[in-house]
């Protein structure tokens, strides 16, 4: 399985358009020891030809253009000039940062979107703009999955990629735009998921950019994976409150802090451990900071846009 990290920042990206935190200011001034990042997006493939997106970020158009493997190829086939190596997507929540990119893929390209029934209903029944994905029969095919069960990643035609996916229920909060009336009809275990993807050779990737807590069951899962992409959103629980003067804690936003996960995941030895979904306020983005050094010395990597690895 080939894994590409097309984007590695949390919502808003780095720098964020309306942010004057020390990181964003230094990056704009050209004095920052660290890299700009687009919003989190992962793509996976077994054959380097057919790709599945984990989520669909608001930066997806630029991320596709920056990634030659995702460019359409002129083929002497019935497909004509309009085609894409992107076979489908798997959604793990209904956040704007995680789903807006689907609207960028609206040019009548057949795709399959794997999602929980609750996430599908929020997008297709409550957000009429997503009807742009249903203009012709077979344009976007939604396929429901249930947390805890293993399902195959299929392309729009129903062909099996060989990849297997299992979603773990990690959080019970739906995005703020989902009405309380709708929330009352939804299944709360389908709100926010972590994904375990298995290749035909049995190699496993865990992708969990939003993990509110780390329990024993999750620790056992991590001991069976080869690469762990984990929530690197905030360094500390009160990071946003200290920088903005108000707001929510990391925990309230559904994220365990890096300073906490560094301790809790120290015992996890098997996988390559990579922090992903890093908020622009996180001090570990600064490669001259003690936080960056602490993370690296603990054996973790900090994802950057454009990274690729095989497992
Ligand atoms: Zn900032």
């Amino acid at each position: 399985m080939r894994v590409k990290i097309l984007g590695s920042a949390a919502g808003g990206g780095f720098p964020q358009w309306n942010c004057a935190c020390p990181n964003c200011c230094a990056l704009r001034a050209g004095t920052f020891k660290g890299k700009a990042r687009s919003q989190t997006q992962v793509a996976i493939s077994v054959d380097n030809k057919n790709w599945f997106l984990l989520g669909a970020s608001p930066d997806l158009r630029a991320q596709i253009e920056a990634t030659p493997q995702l460019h359409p190829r002129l083929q002497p086939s019935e497909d004509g000039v309009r085609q894409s190596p992107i076979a489908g997507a798997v959604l793990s929540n209904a956040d704007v940062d995680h789903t807006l990119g689907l609207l960028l893929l609206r040019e009548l390209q057949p795709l399959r979107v794997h999602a929980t029934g609750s996430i599908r209903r929020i997008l297709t029944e409550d957000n009429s703009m997503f009807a742009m994905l249903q203009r012709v029969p077979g344009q976007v095919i939604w396929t429901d999955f249930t947390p805890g069960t293993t399902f195959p990643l299929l392309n729009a035609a129903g062909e099996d990629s060989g990849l297997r996916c299992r979603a773990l229920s990690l959080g019970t909060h739906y995005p703020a735009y989902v009405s309380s009336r709708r929330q009352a009809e939804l299944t709360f275990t389908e709100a926010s998921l972590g994904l375990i993807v298995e290749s035909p050779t049995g190699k496993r990737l865990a992708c969990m950019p939003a993990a509110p807590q780390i329990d024993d069951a999750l620790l056992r899962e991590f001991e069976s994976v080869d690469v762990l992409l984990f929530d690197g959103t905030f360094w500390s629980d009160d990071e946003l409150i200290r920088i903005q003067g108000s707001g929510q804690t990391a925990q309230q936003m559904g994220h365990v802090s890096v300073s906490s996960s560094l301790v809790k995941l120290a015992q996890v030895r098997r996988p390559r451990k990579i922090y992903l979904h890093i908020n622009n306020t996180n001090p570990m983005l600064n490669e001259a900071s003690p936080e960056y050094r602490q993370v690296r010395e603990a054996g973790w990597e900090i994802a950057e846009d454009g990274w690729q690895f095989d497992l």
Side-chain angles (χ1 to χ4, degrees):
M1 169 165 49
R2 177 157 289 178
V3 179
K4 291 189 78 76
I5 296 176
L6 311 183
S8 52
F14 178 47
Q16 178 173 315
W17 71 280
N18 66 339
C19 189
C21 77
N23 283 354
C24 289
C25 286
L27 188 74
R28 292 191 187 102
T31 58
F32 191 72
K33 190 163 171 18
K35 295 189 172 69
R37 285 165 165 85
S38 63
Q39 296 170 92
T40 288
Q41 179 66 57
V42 175
I44 54 175
S45 176
V46 174
D47 56 10
N48 210 24
K49 291 195 184 90
N50 300 285
W51 290 83
F52 287 86
L53 304 173
L54 304 186
S57 97
D59 293 323
L60 193 53
R61 199 203 73 87
Q63 290 166 337
I64 290 169
E65 287 308 315
T67 311
Q69 291 101 319
L70 300 183
H71 293 174
R73 285 178 281 272
L74 196 55
Q75 292 169 334
S77 70
E78 67 278 9
D79 295 326
V81 297
R82 291 293 171 88
Q83 58 95 240
S84 170
I86 297 172
V90 188
L91 303 182
S92 45
N93 60 60
D95 289 352
V96 170
D97 302 331
H98 190 73
T99 58
L100 197 60
L102 286 178
L103 291 176
L104 308 178
L105 306 179
R106 67 189 178 280
E107 283 85 8
L108 303 177
Q109 182 66 41
L111 292 170
R112 185 175 300 266
V113 177
H114 297 273
T116 61
S118 297
I119 292 170
R120 172 182 51 76
R121 290 178 70 192
I122 292 168
L123 298 179
T124 64
E125 296 177 15
D126 298 348
N127 289 276
S128 58
M129 212 182 276
F130 278 82
M132 288 302 284
L133 302 176
Q134 316 290 158
R135 288 167 62 207
V136 297
Q139 184 183 349
V140 168
I141 298 130
W142 293 83
T143 302
D144 290 1
F145 65 77
T146 309
T149 59
T150 300
F151 56 94
L153 297 191
L154 309 175
N155 68 9
E159 293 160 350
D160 189 341
S161 64
L163 291 165
R164 295 289 175 272
C165 189
R166 182 164 48 90
L168 309 176
S169 179
L170 298 183
T172 55
H173 292 292
Y174 283 101
Y177 72 80
V178 182
S179 71
S180 50
R181 189 170 51 83
R182 172 59 91 184
Q183 293 212 23
E185 300 170 354
L186 300 174
T187 307
F188 282 89
T189 52
E190 295 188 352
S192 183
L193 311 156
L195 301 176
I196 307 271
V197 184
E198 189 171 315
S199 77
T201 61
K203 297 285 188 182
R204 283 187 182 173
L205 168 76
C207 186
M208 307 203 173
Q213 71 278 314
I214 299 166
D215 57 19
D216 289 343
L218 207 51
L219 289 172
R220 279 194 299 277
E221 289 283 351
F222 292 164
E223 285 298 351
S224 75
V225 304
D226 299 280
V227 174
L228 169 60
L229 299 176
F230 194 73
D231 189 335
T233 313
F234 299 111
W235 178 263
S236 53
D237 199 45
D238 62 350
E239 185 169 310
L240 276 191
I241 297 170
R242 276 189 293 111
I243 285 177
Q244 299 180 155
S246 65
Q248 292 183 305
T249 64
Q251 193 75 55
Q252 286 167 338
M253 296 175 75
H255 300 286
V256 61
S257 66
V258 171
S259 54
S260 171
S261 63
L262 272 180
V263 176
K264 289 187 173 140
L265 297 179
Q267 60 183 291
V268 176
R269 300 273 177 205
R270 186 167 186 268
R272 179 178 172 186
K273 297 189 282 189
I274 303 171
Y275 280 119
L276 179 74
H277 196 266
I278 305 143
N279 199 59
N280 58 80
T281 52
N282 192 324
M284 74 180 182
L285 284 169
N286 181 349
E287 294 168 18
S289 70
E291 290 86 356
Y292 175 85
R293 198 163 54 245
Q294 187 181 339
V295 167
R296 300 290 288 125
E297 284 172 359
W300 283 81
E301 296 166 80
I302 302 173
E304 296 176 5
D305 294 12
W307 275 13
Q308 171 182 304
F309 47 86
D310 296 323
L311 71 164

